[in-house]
Amino acid sequence: MGHYRANSTDSYKFNVKSDNIKVGDLVYKKWYSFEADILMPDGSKFQLRPKGFWDSKVELTDGSITLLEIKMGWKGIVIKTYFDQQEKHYLLKLKGLLGDKFILIDDSNQELMRAKTDFKWRTLNYEYSIETTESFDHLGYRNLLLLALLHSMNYYMTLISSAS
């Protein structure tokens, strides 16, 4: 099982680490934006951009190639991936009485990830503790997916906070 920590260094940037080893950064263009970049330790850069009516969908792209789509659904956040020329579906669901936990499940309802949010009042930023299963850890694109999931959780928390 993997253990990750996503910390917000300011309102625009999250860094994700596992055992003090950098997994990548999620960098927003501006505060409360759905537009962000994912920066990997090897120097590669991916873009998260809103699409559709009322920015109802977010796409992760590598140049002109769409790698992943994020869309709000009735049961949670629906995620379609297109890594390795295979389409896979996932669902990121909110759990917990306080709405501070997320789980990721695949098509067969297998749990792949758990995340707990922690809002820091002093800095007005979220932090996340993330645990992944062995099935998740075996995915070749797990680090990129993990950063896209972080964006999805922020996306959800932003929508919830703006609705209240």
Side-chain angles (χ1 to χ4, degrees), residues 46-49 51 57-70 79-88 144:
F46 302 88
Q47 299 77 38
L48 286 156
R49 301 292 181 258
K51 300 281 184 189
K57 179 170 63 169
V58 176
E59 289 183 348
L60 173 68
T61 58
D62 182 8
S64 62
I65 300 167
T66 300
L67 302 173
L68 181 142
E69 292 177 355
I70 301 165
I79 298 164
K80 284 185 199 176
T81 64
Y82 306 102
F83 297 109
D84 304 325
Q85 284 75 42
Q86 288 185 322
E87 183 176 320
K88 292 189 178 179
L144 187 55

Side-chain angles (χ1 to χ4, degrees), residues 68-81 87-95 101-115 131 136 139 141 145 148-150 152-153 155-156:
L68 181 142
E69 292 177 355
I70 301 165
K71 189 173 183 178
M72 291 295 289
W74 288 109
K75 294 182 179 182
I77 299 173
V78 178
I79 298 164
K80 284 185 199 176
T81 64
E87 183 176 320
K88 292 189 178 179
H89 299 101
Y90 302 96
L91 183 63
L92 185 64
K93 295 170 45 171
L94 191 64
K95 287 285 191 181
K101 295 180 182 103
F102 290 90
I103 63 166
L104 179 72
I105 57 174
D106 63 11
D107 292 7
S108 59
N109 254 3
Q110 179 183 5
E111 186 176 311
L112 300 174
M113 181 209 73
R114 281 187 176 266
E131 288 188 14
F136 185 93
L139 296 173
Y141 48 87
L145 178 58
L149 291 169
L150 176 60
S152 300
M153 291 182 282
Y155 175 70
Y156 186 85

